Amino acid sequence: MHNIKLERCWADPVVDFYELCITCSNDQITASAMECWASNEIIDDLSFKIQKYSQKEISEFEWQIGNFELNGLSEVTFKVLPTDKFGYLYIQIDMKIYDSTNLNCQSGICTLNIQTEIGLLETFGKRISKLKERENNIIVSLVN
């Protein structure tokens, strides 16, 4: 099943700073990136871009969380492509994954495509704001 799952795994109790665990899957691959550090501004940016895409104000967009080159931690990029003539769209996901449990192999790189439809993406965009709540273990997914 093609899906994207964002989970708020840990949050700083004082400042707007939290860890997202991102899991993406299609029929062939499931990949997870831990230690993706977010803020409400980063989440709002994704939600805003999805809203603009859903309203056909933009035909594609890119969103990135993390910066592997800067700090060596996980980086995930979503590139949402234009819909096809049947109304399907593809989200190209590039992950540079930091693995703190494997000292011999500190990172991995994965690219996969998720096929979805505009209605699911629009609902996902609306649910993303739940990640800003002051609780851990909040999960938002593209497909329930």
Side-chain angles (χ1 to χ4, degrees), residues 127-138:
R127 284 191 248 150
I128 287 173
S129 64
K130 289 182 180 181
L131 294 169
K132 299 187 312 182
E133 295 175 5
R134 287 281 201 207
E135 300 174 25
N136 292 331
N137 302 316
I138 297 171

Side-chain angles (χ1 to χ4, degrees), residues 71-87:
N71 58 25
L73 299 176
S74 293
E75 175 183 315
V76 178
T77 304
F78 294 171
K79 184 171 184 181
V80 179
L81 304 171
T83 56
D84 65 17
K85 63 182 179 180
F86 302 108

Side-chain angles (χ1 to χ4, degrees), residues 3-4 22-26 29-31 78 93 95 112 114:
N3 200 8
I4 298 169
I22 301 173
T23 302
C24 302
S25 58
N26 63 21
I29 301 170
T30 297
F78 294 171
I93 299 167
M95 293 181 158
L112 65 148
I114 304 293

Side-chain angles (χ1 to χ4, degrees), residues 54-143:
S54 298
Q55 295 171 350
K56 299 184 180 185
E57 293 179 28
I58 55 175
S59 62
E60 62 183 69
F61 71 85
E62 190 169 299
W63 177 79
Q64 179 179 318
I65 184 170
N67 188 326
F68 189 81
E69 300 300 322
L70 179 67
N71 58 25
L73 299 176
S74 293
E75 175 183 315
V76 178
T77 304
F78 294 171
K79 184 171 184 181
V80 179
L81 304 171
T83 56
D84 65 17
K85 63 182 179 180
F86 302 108
Y88 292 105
L89 62 102
Y90 290 89
I91 304 170
Q92 179 182 319
I93 299 167
D94 293 312
M95 293 181 158
K96 294 178 182 173
I97 302 166
Y98 171 74
D99 183 1
S100 63
T101 63
N102 185 348
L103 299 178
N104 295 321
C105 179
Q106 287 294 316
S107 64
I109 298 174
C110 179
T111 299
L112 65 148
N113 291 315
I114 304 293
Q115 179 185 4
T116 190
E117 55 190 50
I118 193 70
L120 288 173
L121 183 65
E122 185 176 17
T123 301
F124 180 67
K126 290 175 182 175
R127 284 191 248 150
I128 287 173
S129 64
K130 289 182 180 181
L131 294 169
K132 299 187 312 182
E133 295 175 5
R134 287 281 201 207
E135 300 174 25
N136 292 331
N137 302 316
I138 297 171
I139 298 173
V140 175
S141 61
L142 181 65
V143 179

Side-chain angles (χ1 to χ4, degrees), residues 6-13 15-21 40 43 129-140:
L6 307 177
E7 179 179 0
R8 183 178 169 136
C9 302
W10 178 87
D12 187 290
V15 296
D16 171 27
F17 186 67
Y18 42 94
E19 178 187 3
L20 291 183
C21 304
N40 290 346
I43 298 303
S129 64
K130 289 182 180 181
L131 294 169
K132 299 187 312 182
E133 295 175 5
R134 287 281 201 207
E135 300 174 25
N136 292 331
N137 302 316
I138 297 171
I139 298 173
V140 175

